[in-house]
Amino acid sequence: MSDLYYDFCESPIGLVEVGGTSRGVTSLGFVEKRRERFESHPAVGKAVQQVMEYFAGKRRTFELELSLSGTEFQEKVWRQLLTVPYGHLASYQDIAKAIGRPKAVRPVGAANGQNPIAIIVPCHRIIGSSGNLTGYGGGLWRKEWLLKHEGCILP
């Protein structure tokens, strides 16, 4: 038996892979195909269910245990991302100020880009100070779709 578990769900913007341990979700990302061999776990299955509810428009917040693993700075940024509510946007500058590092806009952007748990830790809600959609590991088209889905930007 493995310490890492995976499960998958189809979404309107591609196949989603959720990874985790018995203690919580460790990753969520878009993939081209399912792993050939994987084991699921109830903690990961619960995350998949909630992600499907999100895509169906039935969920705005996630009630999951997360197992974030990064540098102290990254984890601080990721925890701050969790405070940006559904349907709202924040800038990298907003996040930098909120964590007490107002000049760390670029490092905040880098940490945002390294977020291993997309959607649940809502890095897609972070935009440039100019209002531009900047960077998204899953592709800007997915970021735009997610923000339209949440009503942050007009279709």
Side-chain angles (χ1 to χ4, degrees), residues 37-59:
R37 305 177 104 180
F38 66 92
E39 289 182 63
S40 191
H41 185 277
V44 175
K46 180 179 178 183
V48 166
Q49 180 63 39
Q50 289 188 22
V51 168
M52 291 188 321
E53 291 168 357
Y54 167 83
F55 280 112
K58 297 177 181 177
R59 176 171 292 277

Side-chain angles (χ1 to χ4, degrees), residues 3-65:
D3 291 339
L4 284 175
Y5 304 97
Y6 296 93
D7 209 338
F8 300 84
C9 67
E10 293 288 344
S11 82
I13 54 176
L15 182 63
V16 175
E17 177 187 79
V18 178
T21 67
S22 59
R23 292 185 306 211
V25 177
T26 59
S27 65
L28 185 152
F30 297 96
V31 295
E32 293 299 316
K33 62 181 183 175
R34 295 173 187 261
R35 292 171 184 263
E36 288 187 27
R37 305 177 104 180
F38 66 92
E39 289 182 63
S40 191
H41 185 277
V44 175
K46 180 179 178 183
V48 166
Q49 180 63 39
Q50 289 188 22
V51 168
M52 291 188 321
E53 291 168 357
Y54 167 83
F55 280 112
K58 297 177 181 177
R59 176 171 292 277
R60 292 179 171 219
T61 59
F62 294 94
E63 299 164 8
L64 300 165
E65 291 296 321

